[in-house]
Amino acid sequence: PAGTYLTGPFTLCSKLDFHLAEGAIIQAPATFAGHGLPEPTQFRTQAEANVAVKMPPPLISAKNVHDLALTGTGIIDGAGQHWWEWSERAARAVAKSQPGRVVYPRPHLVVIENCQRLLVADITLRNSPKFHLVPKRIDDLTIERVKVRAPFNAPNTDAIDPGPGTRFWIHDCDIDTGDDDIVIKSGGTDILIENNTIRHGHGISIGSETTAGVRNMLVRNCTLEGTDNGIRIKSMRGAGGVVENIRYTNIRMKGVANPIVLQLDYVDNNRPDFKGDPAKVPTIRNIQIDQVTIEGARKSAVIHGIPDSRITNVVLRDVKIGRAHV
């Protein structure tokens, strides 16, 4: 029911509708002490912090379940501000004035792993320390009318990160965050993403890890405004798989810096020295982009393959791009 419920991490079970009525707020602690963790200022080195502090579990999680739902118009709030201030990005920002500043490992907000039939409907997720909603290894996933909110400069605050799995339907969501808004992680097949509104963040993405492969995905009737990227497929040697049979249609973008990005030479700023498994070479093929209108773009499209894996069979049809006035 309505009310604010301050809580530490908890888990959900099968055959459950976790329902948040209007006015209900599931609230994470707003301090490290509230999580039972020491203040990061007490550590002189990252090595000391790594020994003493492990990544906390998600605020809400479930594993090896079936027939699970999170519904209602209530809110799940991750109280991420104190986590963001001790992120990798924050450490880079103060590297000259505070050399050796430590980084705290940040938890996700909601992680559901290995689930048959998952529904997430109508709830608001906000201010996650890191990713907001992570459905991993899901068969039959529906995410509908969900709102996700974090400041545009909050680091790595992905909104919806499903994958791997099969039969995903993500529709009528309203997203405004600081990183990937909807991103297929690792892999997925038979995916429909439609009627979503996105402001800020990194757009609708695939990758960067694509090891499980992404196939048969349709993105349609979506609006993106003020995002860094629009349509984005990113992968890299060492974490690659096959991305194929992907269509984007009836997409509207305004003020998007990089509207179309297909990239196999992606570099993760948080792992610039990543090598991975050299046998995992990424592939992008059979991509159709049609009926796309773009206003105020800084670039048109970036399509980067790698020498031993060219991007092939990309069709752009009825794509209108207008540049930003600078």
Side-chain angles (χ1 to χ4, degrees), residues 7 31 38-39 44 52 55 65 100-101 107 120 141 158 176 179 193 203-204 253 263-264 310-311:
T7 178
T31 64
E39 289 297 319
R44 294 173 297 175
M55 181 183 294
V65 294
R101 178 185 169 110
V120 184
L141 168 68
D158 290 12
D176 191 343
D179 209 301
I193 299 172
I204 299 174
M253 304 186 204
Q263 184 178 16
L264 296 181
R310 298 184 180 187
I311 296 174

Side-chain angles (χ1 to χ4, degrees), residues 54 73 210 233 261:
K54 305 303 179 185
T73 55
T210 57
I233 303 175
V261 178

Side-chain angles (χ1 to χ4, degrees), residues 103-295:
V103 172
Y104 255 30
R106 292 173 288 147
H108 304 316
L109 188 60
V110 179
V111 177
I112 310 298
E113 183 174 0
N114 193 19
C115 178
Q116 301 285 327
R117 295 171 298 278
L118 172 63
L119 168 67
V120 184
D122 300 305
I123 62 175
T124 294
L125 306 171
R126 70 186 186 192
N127 299 326
S128 175
K130 202 170 181 182
F131 304 162
H132 283 80
L133 176 58
V134 183
K136 301 169 63 175
R137 290 187 282 279
I138 310 294
D139 291 333
D140 297 305
L141 168 68
T142 299
I143 301 173
E144 56 191 12
R145 300 180 301 278
V146 168
K147 293 182 180 179
V148 188
R149 294 288 186 271
F152 73 92
N153 59 351
N156 310 111
T157 47
D158 290 12
I160 300 172
D161 289 21
T166 187
R167 295 183 298 277
F168 301 163
W169 184 25
I170 303 170
H171 70 96
D172 294 285
C173 295
D174 186 331
I175 300 170
D176 191 343
T177 67
D179 209 301
D180 288 325
D181 297 288
I182 300 173
V183 55
I184 306 303
K185 295 276 192 180
S186 182
T189 59
D190 300 335
I191 300 166
L192 175 59
I193 299 172
E194 62 180 347
N195 304 326
N196 299 292
T197 300
I198 296 171
R199 307 172 184 87
H200 299 110
H202 293 177
I204 299 174
S205 302
I206 294 173
S208 57
E209 182 187 349
T210 57
T211 51
V214 181
R215 295 175 174 85
N216 308 335
M217 180 170 118
L218 172 62
V219 181
R220 65 186 179 191
N221 307 331
C222 291
T223 300
L224 300 94
E225 184 169 354
T227 57
D228 290 337
N229 303 286
I231 294 166
R232 190 184 195 192
I233 303 175
K234 54 180 178 174
S235 194
M236 53 188 173
R237 191 184 306 277
V242 177
V243 178
E244 63 182 352
N245 306 335
I246 314 295
R247 184 185 181 195
Y248 304 86
T249 185
N250 194 23
I251 308 295
R252 299 165 299 282
M253 304 186 204
K254 184 175 181 180
V256 174
N258 304 289
I260 299 171
V261 178
L262 310 180
Q263 184 178 16
L264 296 181
D265 56 356
Y266 174 75
V267 177
D268 187 340
N269 290 331
N270 294 321
R271 300 182 297 167
D273 300 322
F274 174 81
K275 299 299 182 183
D277 181 349
K280 294 180 179 178
V281 178
T283 297
I284 296 176
R285 62 193 181 206
N286 304 340
I287 310 297
Q288 180 169 325
I289 300 170
D290 64 82
Q291 300 182 63
V292 176
T293 301
I294 301 161
E295 301 176 31

Side-chain angles (χ1 to χ4, degrees), residues 71 95 98 128 230:
T71 66
Q98 300 179 39
S128 175

Side-chain angles (χ1 to χ4, degrees), residues 68-81:
L68 175 62
L70 289 79
T71 66
T73 55
I75 296 168
I76 302 173
D77 191 321
Q81 181 65 46

